[in-house]
């Protein structure tokens, strides 16, 4: 019986993963991220660039800074060459600046960015998640907004990763960490089994 339930769980997880986890594109929620038609947006933890490309397609005039440590041990060269290739294929090379850096100690001055996005990166920082949030807050301009997309415990994640989903930080934990870091919460919701929240740096 236990093996049957586990098999059903993994089968359902596989179906969900194939449905919502297509690797050729990233789906981002429609949210109010920028207050003007121009600005600089940080993709914090860009990886191979799926979120960067989604931003480039949605935000036609803004410049994007794609930041990552590029130290992945399962991608040749840490992933930077793959990011550059993907940006070139998407026609975004001229609009995206690539930066090497750590999410817990961003290599930018205070108030550098008009907005920021991080999808499935800060939730991998373990006990340093709140420090990552503080760094995003620091580099945002007053009034700047931050779109955070993370995995949270729930039936969708349980179907994909089984009991490991119980180890994820929940929505209440993320709200607490965001408030402790200094953010104001503007919006939140679910997309493809992932939780997203729009946070704002207090100010103008």
């Amino acid at each position: 019986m236990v093996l049957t339930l586990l098999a059903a769980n993994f089968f359902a997880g596989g179906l969900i993963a194939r449905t919502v986890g297509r690797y050729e594109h990233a789906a981002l929620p429609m949210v109010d991220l920028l207050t003007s038609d121009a600005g600089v947006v940080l993709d914090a933890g860009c990886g191979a660039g799926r979120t960067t490309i989604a931003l480039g397609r949605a935000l036609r005039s803004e410049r994007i800074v794609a930041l990552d440590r590029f130290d992945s041990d399962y991608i040749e060269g840490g992933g930077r060459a793959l990011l550059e290739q993907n940006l070139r294929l998407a026609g975004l090379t001229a609009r995206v600046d690539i930066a090497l850096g750590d999410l817990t100690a961003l290599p930018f001055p205070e108030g550098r960015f008009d907005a920021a996005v991080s999808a499935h990166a800060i939730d991998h920082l373990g006990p340093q998640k709140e420090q990552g949030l503080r760094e995003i807050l620091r580099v945002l301009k007053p009034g700047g907004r931050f779109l955070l997309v993370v995995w949270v415990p729930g039936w969708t994640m349980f179907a994909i990763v089984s009991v490991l989903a119980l180890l994820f930080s929940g929505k209440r934990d993320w709200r607490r960490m965001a408030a402790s870091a200094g953010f104001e919460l503007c919006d939140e919701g679910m997309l493809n089994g992932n939780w997203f929240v729009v946070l704002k740096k207090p100010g103008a």
Side-chain angles (χ1 to χ4, degrees), residues 157-187:
M157 288 299 106
F158 184 80
I160 295 174
V161 298
S162 192
V163 294
L164 292 178
L166 301 177
L167 301 177
F168 298 158
S169 296
K171 300 175 188 177
R172 181 179 301 175
D173 295 323
W174 282 108
R175 294 189 196 102
R176 177 190 55 76
M177 286 187 286
S180 178
F183 279 109
E184 298 174 355
L185 192 150
C186 298
D187 192 12

Side-chain angles (χ1 to χ4, degrees), residues 120-194:
H120 313 301
I122 289 181
D123 46 350
H124 294 165
L125 294 180
Q128 292 187 296
K129 290 193 285 286
E130 188 171 321
Q131 174 60 22
L133 293 175
R134 291 182 186 280
E135 277 295 281
I136 297 291
L137 181 84
R138 182 183 65 80
V139 301
L140 281 175
K141 294 178 180 177
R145 294 192 171 194
F146 172 39
L147 171 61
L148 175 67
V149 183
V150 295
W151 288 357
V152 294
W155 288 112
T156 301
M157 288 299 106
F158 184 80
I160 295 174
V161 298
S162 192
V163 294
L164 292 178
L166 301 177
L167 301 177
F168 298 158
S169 296
K171 300 175 188 177
R172 181 179 301 175
D173 295 323
W174 282 108
R175 294 189 196 102
R176 177 190 55 76
M177 286 187 286
S180 178
F183 279 109
E184 298 174 355
L185 192 150
C186 298
D187 192 12
E188 64 177 294
M190 298 294 295
L191 178 69
N192 291 342
N194 304 303

Side-chain angles (χ1 to χ4, degrees), residues 40-98:
V40 182
V41 181
L42 172 65
D43 180 5
C46 63
R50 294 176 66 220
T51 300
T52 310
I53 292 170
L55 286 171
R57 291 171 174 168
L59 309 173
R60 295 295 182 179
S61 60
E62 290 75 12
R63 289 203 64 78
I64 301 167
V65 175
L67 173 133
D68 205 284
R69 289 173 52 176
F70 301 114
D71 60 354
S72 173
D73 57 3
Y74 57 87
I75 302 177
E76 183 178 355
R80 178 159 183 157
L82 181 57
L83 169 65
E84 293 173 349
Q85 172 185 295
N86 289 338
L87 293 177
R88 186 169 59 253
L89 292 173
L92 291 171
T93 301
R95 289 182 51 208
V96 178
D97 299 318
I98 299 174

Side-chain angles (χ1 to χ4, degrees), residues 24-38:
E24 68 270 17
H25 68 278
L28 295 176
M30 296 289 291
V31 297
D32 188 8
L33 191 62
L34 287 161
T35 58
S36 67
D37 294 332

